[in-house]
């Protein structure tokens, strides 16, 4: 049987030790996701006129964007449920957390915005593959990816460091 506990016997301590690294990774991935979103939107918007057949680029950039979103969301979930001291404090007293801007933002707002953004990215990717016409594929992708990007921009904590390396 594998024992994932740290030598001290406290499994949560391992995540606490990883917190600065996970937060740094989450911050770096943010820029990858934003760049992938912009690229996917540009490719999707290029077929908005309806005169362009679906290209491999639409599917490729959609997959890159959705995969980057999924990886970022996974790291965010690890932070949310295990490593973040902010969400740990918020979960201990949600009533008090709702009165504190930073705790409320990370416990509720950031999580909600990003969850919906991930869903929209996936919907855009699916519609870009399964739309009835080439025009429908491009337009659905452009709309869903753009809405996803807008939600991400609304949900980013812009008051925090824009690039956090090493904690």
């Amino acid at each position: 049987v594998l024992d994932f506990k740290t030598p001290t016997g406290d499994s949560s301590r391992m995540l606490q030790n990883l917190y600065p690294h996970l937060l740094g990774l989450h911050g770096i991935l943010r820029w990858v996701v934003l760049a992938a979103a912009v690229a996917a939107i540009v490719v999707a918007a290029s077929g908005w006129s309806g005169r362009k057949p679906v290209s491999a680029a639409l599917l490729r950039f959609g997959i890159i964007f959705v995969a980057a979103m999924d990886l970022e969301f996974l790291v965010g979930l690890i932070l949310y449920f295990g490593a973040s001291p902010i969400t740990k404090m918020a979960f201990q007293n949600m009533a008090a957390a709702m009165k504190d801007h930073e705790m409320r933002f990370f416990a509720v707002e950031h999580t909600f915005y990003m969850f919906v953004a991930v869903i929209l990215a996936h919907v855009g990717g699916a519609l870009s593959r399964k739309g009835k016409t080439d025009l429908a594929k491009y337009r659905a992708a452009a709309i869903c990816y753009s809405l996803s990007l807008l939600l991400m921009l609304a949900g980013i904590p812009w008051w925090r460091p824009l690039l956090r390396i090493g904690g």
Side-chain angles (χ1 to χ4, degrees):
V1 176
L2 294 175
D3 183 8
F4 291 103
K5 294 184 179 181
T6 59
T8 63
D10 183 7
S11 59
S12 67
R13 173 171 255 159
M14 181 173 66
L15 280 176
Q16 289 172 353
N17 292 338
L18 286 175
Y19 175 69
H21 306 290
L22 288 168
L23 191 61
L25 176 62
H26 195 59
I28 290 168
L29 284 174
R30 159 189 16 187
W31 298 108
V32 172
V33 169
L34 291 173
V38 169
I41 291 166
V42 167
V43 170
S46 72
W48 191 268
S49 69
R51 288 178 250 147
K52 182 177 180 181
V54 169
S55 68
L58 178 66
L59 302 176
R60 184 178 314 115
F61 281 97
I63 289 169
I64 290 168
F65 173 47
V66 171
M69 284 285 292
D70 287 347
L71 180 59
E72 177 76 335
F73 192 64
L74 177 62
V75 173
L77 288 175
I78 293 168
L79 285 164
Y80 186 78
F81 287 113
S84 172
I86 296 170
T87 55
K88 281 182 186 177
M89 285 189 298
F91 291 152
Q92 289 173 359
N93 186 348
M94 284 301 275
M98 293 302 105
K99 295 175 184 168
D100 180 87
H101 172 262
E102 191 164 356
M103 278 201 244
R104 182 185 65 246
F105 181 81
F106 288 109
V108 179
E109 296 166 12
H110 177 71
T111 309
F112 176 77
Y113 285 135
M114 298 311 168
F115 179 68
V116 176
V118 168
I119 290 170
L120 284 168
H122 276 272
V123 169
L127 292 175
S128 73
R129 293 186 308 276
K130 300 183 189 270
K132 293 186 183 205
T133 65
D134 290 345
L135 177 62
K137 291 176 182 182
Y138 276 110
R139 286 190 179 176
I143 291 167
C144 289
Y145 295 160
S146 296
L147 291 173
S148 179
L149 177 62
L150 288 174
L151 282 171
M152 284 188 286
L153 292 172
I156 290 175
W158 293 107
W159 67 89
R160 293 187 124 196
L162 296 179
L163 188 60
R164 187 187 306 252
I165 298 177

